[in-house]
Amino acid sequence: MQETILNDLKMPYCPGCGHTVANKSMSKAIADMDVDPLDVIVVSDIGCTGLVDPLLTCHTIHGLHGRAVALAMGIRMGLEHPEKKIIALQGDGGATIGLQHLLEAARHNLDLTLVVQNNMVYGMTGGQTSGLSSTEFKEPERPESAVPGYDICALAHNAGAAYTARTFIGKDTSELWKEALSTSGFSLIEIVEMCPAYGLRKVQELHDTADYESVVTRNSRAVGMPHRATGRSLLDGLKPIERTCDAPLDGRLEIIVAGSAGEAIQSAGDLLSTAGITAGLSATKKGDYPITIGTGFSVAEVILSRDPIHYTGIDCPDIMIVISQDGLDKVQSRIGGHTLVIADEKLGTELGGSPGPLDPPDQSGPSNVVTGDFRKTGGPKGAALAAIAHWLQDNGFLPIEALIEAASRHKHGDKMKVIIDKAVAA
Amino acid sequence: MTADGERMVFLDGSRLIIEAMARAGVGAYIGYPITPVNWLFAGAKQRIPIALEAPDEITALQWSAGFSSSGVFPVTASAFPGFALMIESINMSFMMELPMVIILAQRLGPSTGSATTGGQGDLLLLRGCISGGYSIPVFCPSNLNDCWDMAAASVHTSVNLRTPVVLLTSKEMVMTNQNMNISSLREVQRAERHVFEGNGEYKTYGVNGNLAPPFLPLGNDLHQVRLNSSTHDMEGITQKNSPEALGNTERLKNKIEQRIDDYTFYDHDRAEDADTVILTYGISAEAAREAVGSLRSGGDSVSLLVMKTLLPVPPRIYELLDAYEHIVVVEENISGLLRELLFGNRQDGRVFGVNKIGNMITPQEIAEGVRQCRKPS
Ligand code: SF4
């Protein structure tokens, strides 16, 4: 005799409940297909459908309401044994709360079978209607409950399920189960059935009131399975930064580079940091930009220090390099009395006059402002780098060779070096 | 000019976390995009054998549970909004005893708050996220080295205790680049699950001495596996409140708490004769280290205690704190979550908070807190 996946415990369902018939069909299908119970994993949902869990002799996993399909997907993607059958069992309530998972499983076309036992009510909690209840199945005192139910077979089919079928309970449905279980890819069976406790009692009534027809649909698609990669070490590819020179800096220097999206502000910040490390300093860098990264400001905060850096925040920077109005608008309030501002010429034209873009809010004025035509020297994408080079050349916190060395590590290193040379010459 | 064997690079905490986890044996990363875990996701796509985009965070956790139950160690990452959606499924995984790590990168709340502003506002959420008040281990890196060590510890603890573990971090830790000598990183061992062996009777939740049951994957050819999120007996069968099932639930509490010494991590930088200790965690720890340096160079002897195991609260932390008259608790929130966790809602004059939101707490603010805490109130 073939093994069955049901033990000999008594079914826990009310007399006449459709779940009893459905579970027997499942067991018969497995036995007919001669599948070993340990080659089957049943993922059960919350609700009366899930009460079958203790009766099963196969592998079982009993999870949350509505999530059985998502859980089953995870198991299928994790298991390296395609021959194992995975069956998710849900009621109409579970299918409603987890509709997204059902569509996702169909879209990925993972090899698993979902059986939705649609008795149009939440049996466990008092007979409320679900998203799969038919229009006729309204609660008399709540006419609004008569909105049409989801046609989950159509939804799953349109989302790409390999096989979908709807049938009515009352007879052995094992043939459909076998069809579903032998289909490669995602298969869904919706069994329209009765909850005698809260719903309809007779099969005939079920046919009369349900909006549904028996259907079978198929999609011919590749079966989904995630790609398994070897994975490359995230550290091995990092080229060590050799210390090639010395920086005269003694202590900590806080620098803000500000400009607009698309002006390579972040790579300028990275370059400055790398230059600092090349010269034997510690460096930190963080970026700040709007969530819409293609527009608005872009700010890089860089700290260079002789000692290890713990705290990575900057309040009023020592140096502020600003190359666009967006950048200035973002960081102007952080200019302090000690801040040296290096600004593109266009932002600096009103400097020294009455309120201009570089007037700090506290009116005390930056201690020092240097301007230059960095856009001309570096172009829009190289202006920040040109300003950095110009500043380093001027004050010598870092040898300019450190910046050139840092640039040489970059994929656009040659272009960068040209900009640095031009900025230094200017 | 570079010291022998030194490999100085410029990198972020996200990269270290993912690399350490990969070496510890993480097989799948399941993500749903949210700032500030962007770089974790990007790193995982390069590094972790299976890296998937889930359609939402509930799915991310359900897929994680599916992977874990079939023997693949999963990791996911999110910020509060996504973590909130995961909570029911984390409870499920806790109950089923499925190892996994959830990286929670904190940002400014409440609600969606400010995606690109850091914060430390989720500690008490973690303390209460399992219904019944059971703890799940929570680790928190305080610098780049910790990103590596705590990531590895998260995976190992999760595997050893068969439980979900949270790695709590914040935007500033995972999205700031810093120089680091990576040759100083410790070697990470692969975490191996304690697998059931032999042909004897197997009960999914049967324990034998060790409080975490031996594992077998769903679908194995030898023994039936019954994983269950509902209150269940040792076999995994749903029970309302039978003594065996309640005993099993109690075991879930005990297995985490009884082995706390195995996974208690902290830095205690004790100054001789110090009457004051700065107590902190995560991103605020770095500012505290700087504050301690400047206070000491000014002649003020102050100690520093950085917690890296936050939950369950290690008893060792209280033992260490007992030595001090003043405890200055530093955290980037205005409610004092760590203070409340450790000292409740009625705190005596021994405990002083340095708190703020919107920006990292500065070393100067911490030093000021140390001065303030000693003033008679
Ligand atoms: S309440 Fe309804 S669905 Fe539940 S067992 Fe009874 S008849 Fe079946």
Side-chain angles (χ1 to χ4, degrees):
Chain A
M1 204 190 107
Q2 297 115 324
E3 288 198 73
T4 149
I5 63 162
L6 287 174
N7 59 29
D8 46 16
L9 289 175
K10 186 177 171 302
M11 288 269 184
Y13 301 111
C14 306
C17 177
H19 296 346
T20 303
V21 190
N23 286 319
K24 284 184 176 158
S25 295
M26 168 170 70
S27 184
K28 180 169 188 298
I30 301 285
D32 286 356
M33 292 171 78
D34 208 15
V35 175
D36 186 301
L38 291 185
D39 286 335
V40 179
I41 299 161
V42 169
V43 188
S44 58
D45 218 86
I46 298 298
C48 294
T49 49
L51 298 177
V52 72
D53 181 80
L55 279 66
L56 296 167
T57 60
C58 59
H59 297 287
T60 62
I61 178 166
H62 181 59
L64 302 180
H65 193 38
R67 313 296 167 203
V69 192
L71 186 53
M73 286 183 77
I75 297 164
R76 173 51 81 206
M77 291 189 284
L79 270 190
E80 290 192 49
H81 299 279
E83 75 284 2
K84 304 281 172 182
K85 305 282 182 201
I86 301 179
I87 304 171
L89 300 178
Q90 285 193 316
D92 46 303
T96 302
I97 187 174
L99 190 56
Q100 161 76 12
H101 306 308
L102 187 158
L103 298 177
E104 195 69 10
R107 183 167 81 94
H108 285 257
N109 201 30
L110 286 182
D111 190 18
L112 56 101
T113 298
L114 166 65
V115 178
V116 175
Q117 299 172 53
N118 177 11
N119 59 18
M120 291 175 262
V121 290
Y122 291 81
M124 237 181 208
T125 52
Q128 300 85 354
T129 53
S130 77
L132 270 59
S133 304
S134 79
T135 44
E136 296 294 321
F137 207 82
K138 63 180 180 253
E139 299 170 51
E141 63 285 2
R142 287 185 57 240
E144 77 279 6
S145 68
V147 293
Y150 288 113
D151 181 341
I152 53 160
C153 286
L155 288 172
H157 177 70
N158 287 330
Y163 174 83
T164 54
R166 179 185 297 117
T167 188
F168 290 83
I169 200 77
K171 56 178 183 331
D172 172 18
T173 53
S174 60
E175 289 306 316
L176 282 183
W177 289 76
K178 280 188 247 175
E179 194 60 37
L181 287 168
S182 49
T183 299
S184 296
F186 181 66
S187 52
L188 163 72
I189 311 175
E190 180 186 5
I191 304 177
V192 183
E193 58 175 49
M194 296 161 298
C195 166
Y198 294 104
L200 302 181
R201 285 167 199 281
K202 294 185 208 126
V203 180
Q204 187 53 47
E205 286 177 38
L206 193 64
H207 281 275
D208 291 347
T209 63
D211 296 342
Y212 314 119
E213 289 172 352
S214 296
V215 289
V216 172
T217 55
R218 288 177 199 276
N219 281 307
S220 176
R221 290 179 66 210
V223 178
M225 203 54 190
H227 173 65
R228 281 178 149 85
T230 334
R232 283 177 290 120
S233 163
L234 297 177
L235 301 183
D236 292 354
L238 294 174
K239 197 171 149 203
I241 304 170
E242 302 289 333
R243 179 175 175 180
T244 57
C245 54
D246 272 320
L249 177 71
D250 188 26
R252 172 176 169 129
L253 194 66
E254 300 181 344
I255 306 141
I256 287 182
V257 186
S260 298
E263 291 182 337
I265 300 298
Q266 300 309 321
S267 42
D270 287 335
L271 210 65
L272 179 55
S273 308
T274 309
I277 301 167
T278 300
L281 301 175
S282 289
T284 71
K285 179 242 162 184
K286 61 180 98 182
D288 186 17
Y289 27 79
I291 295 168
T292 47
I293 57 160
T295 182
F297 67 88
S298 178
V299 172
E301 296 189 4
V302 175
I303 301 172
L304 300 176
S305 170
R306 173 61 54 200
D307 301 316
I309 301 166
H310 294 291
Y311 176 66
T312 58
I314 296 177
D315 184 15
C316 292
D318 302 300
I319 311 291
M320 185 179 280
I321 294 165
V322 203
I323 59 156
S324 81
Q325 191 66 48
D326 285 334
L328 182 61
D329 291 346
K330 181 66 187 169
V331 299
Q332 188 168 10
S333 64
R334 296 169 70 182
I335 297 174
H338 67 289
T339 305
L340 166 65
V341 180
I342 296 139
D344 189 68
E345 220 167 58
K346 290 194 185 61
L347 303 169
T349 45
E350 291 173 54
L351 272 178
S354 50
L358 280 175
D359 277 356
D362 66 1
Q363 302 297 309
S364 64
S367 55
N368 201 356
V369 178
V370 177
T371 63
D373 196 351
F374 304 123
R375 281 179 184 278
K376 190 170 163 218
T377 313
K381 278 193 187 308
L385 177 59
I388 289 170
H390 178 84
W391 159 62
L392 288 183
Q393 173 73 2
D394 243 23
N395 64 42
F397 281 118
L398 283 179
I400 201 78
E401 297 76 52
L403 194 64
I404 293 170
E405 173 66 27
S408 69
R409 300 165 53 92
H410 199 278
K411 63 175 187 279
H412 299 307
D414 291 344
K415 275 190 205 156
M416 288 173 161
K417 277 190 236 172
V418 173
I419 294 169
I420 296 169
D421 284 346
K422 272 167 78 181
V424 168
Chain B
M1 284 162 81
T2 303
D4 269 357
E6 179 177 289
R7 286 189 69 210
M8 188 65 78
V9 299
F10 193 52
L11 84 177
D12 54 87
S14 295
R15 200 184 280 256
L16 287 165
I17 289 171
I18 293 297
E19 180 63 29
M21 287 188 172
R23 293 185 189 195
V26 167
Y29 180 99
I30 298 127
Y32 180 84
I34 188 168
T35 303
V37 301
N38 319 21
W39 296 359
L40 289 160
F41 206 167
K45 283 184 178 176
Q46 289 179 45
R47 183 62 176 98
I48 306 294
I50 300 175
L52 299 172
E53 296 178 357
D56 59 78
E57 290 90 344
I58 295 175
T59 305
L61 241 285
Q62 290 292 325
W63 287 4
S64 296
F67 273 103
S68 189
S69 61
S70 51
V72 178
F73 192 101
V75 169
T76 186
S78 197
F80 166 77
F83 187 84
L85 293 178
M86 294 174 178
I87 288 177
E88 189 192 17
S89 301
I90 296 174
N91 274 256
M92 179 192 88
S93 305
F94 176 78
M95 197 67 163
M96 289 180 173
E97 302 187 60
L98 297 176
M100 61 179 64
V101 172
I102 302 112
I103 304 167
L104 172 54
Q106 298 169 101
R107 58 188 225 186
L108 181 65
S111 187
T112 41
S114 174
T116 52
T117 303
Q120 292 184 290
D122 297 335
L123 178 60
L124 288 185
L125 170 74
L126 296 175
R127 176 60 192 88
C129 80
I130 302 293
S131 177
Y134 305 85
S135 280
I136 47 174
V138 175
F139 297 103
C140 183
S142 74
N143 57 24
L144 285 189
N145 266 304
D146 284 350
C147 284
W148 183 263
D149 292 340
M150 291 302 103
S154 301
V155 176
H156 279 268
T157 306
S158 175
V159 165
N160 291 342
L161 299 181
R162 274 194 71 169
T163 181
V165 163
V166 172
L167 183 70
L168 181 69
T169 180
S170 95
K171 182 250 166 187
E172 301 286 355
M173 190 70 70
V174 292
M175 296 190 84
T176 301
N177 278 290
Q178 302 183 49
N179 63 300
M180 181 188 213
N181 173 13
I182 51 172
S183 62
S184 68
L185 293 170
R186 267 178 253 208
E187 196 186 328
V188 173
Q189 301 290 338
R190 205 181 152 83
E192 302 290 354
R193 294 203 201 196
H194 172 37
V195 173
F196 180 82
E197 276 160 5
N199 292 317
E201 187 194 26
Y202 175 70
K203 288 187 176 179
T204 307
Y205 299 106
V207 286
N208 188 1
N210 191 334
L211 285 172
F215 176 79
L216 279 178
L218 283 176
N220 80 85
D221 293 329
L222 297 175
H223 298 280
Q224 182 191 26
V225 172
R226 291 182 167 281
L227 295 166
N228 198 338
S229 174
S230 299
T231 305
H232 54 262
D233 63 13
M234 290 203 289
E235 229 176 294
I237 305 275
T238 302
Q239 308 263 306
K240 192 166 130 62
N241 54 4
S242 72
E244 182 178 326
L246 295 180
N248 183 68
T249 301
E250 209 174 314
R251 178 180 57 78
L252 299 181
K253 177 173 167 10
N254 295 340
K255 75 169 180 181
I256 308 270
E257 291 176 359
Q258 284 186 5
R259 291 173 64 183
I260 178 76
D261 289 347
D262 295 352
Y263 58 93
T264 294
F265 301 102
Y266 59 86
D267 281 346
H268 186 210
D269 177 3
R270 175 156 174 73
E272 282 302 310
D273 307 328
D275 65 349
T276 303
V277 63
I278 299 170
L279 174 67
T280 189
Y281 65 101
I283 192 66
S284 297
E286 285 289 61
R289 289 187 178 106
E290 215 138 286
V292 165
S294 68
L295 283 164
R296 286 181 186 169
S297 59
D300 188 341
S301 91
V302 58
S303 293
L304 175 66
L305 180 54
V306 175
M307 291 175 70
K308 301 178 189 179
T309 303
L310 290 172
L311 290 170
V313 176
R316 180 80 186 124
I317 294 298
Y318 286 110
E319 291 166 20
L320 293 170
L321 291 176
D322 281 346
Y324 298 100
E325 271 170 57
H326 305 282
I327 302 166
V328 180
V329 187
V330 181
E331 46 185 331
E332 198 179 323
N333 57 58
I334 51 174
S335 314
L337 307 185
L338 179 61
R339 256 187 300 143
E340 185 177 332
L341 175 73
L342 295 179
F343 307 107
N345 282 311
R346 192 173 181 190
Q347 295 158 14
D348 58 25
R350 206 174 143 230
V351 181
F352 187 90
V354 175
N355 303 76
K356 86 169 176 193
I357 54 171
N359 278 300
M360 288 193 293
I361 297 173
T362 66
Q364 294 75 24
E365 288 163 339
I366 297 170
E368 184 53 30
V370 169
R371 284 187 280 271
Q372 289 289 330
C373 79
R374 293 165 175 152
K375 286 192 182 156
S377 50

